[in-house]
Amino acid sequence: MSSPFSDRASTAAALEQALREVSGQSVLFSHAVADRLGMNPADLESLDILARYGPMTAGRLAELTGLTTGAITGLVDRLERRGYARREPHPTDRRSVIVQPLTETAEHDLTPSYAGMSQAMRELMSGYSDAELSVITDFLTRAAAITADQITAVRSKAAKEPGP
């Protein structure tokens, strides 16, 4: 697939701008879905983390989200009330609980909100070859890892320095 841009620098700049746009639209989409379901956006994103990574301690969920352990307690309470998660005793640490996602219930409620997006993305992907999709997947996987590293760096810096 050839680039409509005249050189690598302009292509890279356009890609950076497109990534910013996708990131921003993704956040707004998540907020729209959460609003539609009467959920807090942080609860929805935490549920997604649980669905992707599986059961984890409440402390680990706090680390991944950047929320305090107190905020996670309330978040898990809300997910439990909706039937999207449950607390289970930690097998080796009595002071800790494992947050178990209840994906069937969550998927039943969430799938209608994501159906249009899923269909539109499948249609978009159909215009790319297998090789192109592999490159896009590799790029996005690496971009996600860089983003996770940058989240850690920003949080670490914020813990050491006062904000603006």
Side-chain angles (χ1 to χ4, degrees):
M1 178 175 259
S2 64
S3 171
F5 303 101
S6 61
D7 59 28
R8 184 175 179 89
S10 62
T11 301
L15 180 57
E16 284 185 29
Q17 183 60 36
L19 285 170
R20 286 182 65 192
E21 183 70 18
V22 168
S23 175
Q25 292 298 323
S26 178
V27 169
L28 295 174
F29 182 75
S30 180
H31 280 252
V33 170
D35 286 346
R36 183 173 187 275
L37 297 169
M39 291 181 74
N40 178 318
D43 295 0
L44 182 63
E45 292 303 319
S46 296
L47 178 60
D48 185 56
I49 289 170
L50 288 166
R52 285 185 288 131
Y53 298 111
M56 65 183 67
T57 66
R60 178 66 179 145
L61 187 57
E63 289 171 16
L64 290 173
T65 61
L67 297 172
T68 65
T69 54
I72 289 294
T73 298
L75 184 150
V76 175
D77 287 346
R78 291 187 297 275
L79 292 178
E80 280 189 315
R81 278 194 298 273
R82 287 182 159 272
Y84 296 164
R86 73 171 172 256
R87 289 176 173 92
E88 296 180 349
H90 192 287
T92 60
D93 183 356
R94 290 187 356 218
R95 300 165 298 158
S96 181
V97 297
I98 301 293
V99 182
Q100 174 74 41
L102 302 176
T103 52
E104 284 186 30
T105 305
E107 286 176 5
H108 177 268
D109 291 352
L110 297 174
T111 297
S113 295
Y114 288 98
M117 178 67 80
S118 295
Q119 179 61 35
M121 288 297 172
R122 282 191 299 275
E123 289 172 12
L124 176 62
M125 287 185 272
S126 72
Y128 292 90
S129 70
D130 291 350
E132 290 168 330
L133 288 174
S134 291
V135 170
I136 293 167
T137 300
D138 177 66
F139 177 84
L140 291 175
T141 300
R142 291 179 187 203
I146 289 168
T147 302
D149 289 345
Q150 291 304 305
I151 290 168
T152 300
V154 167
R155 286 182 181 152
S156 176
K157 187 174 183 179
K160 295 176 187 169
E161 302 174 0

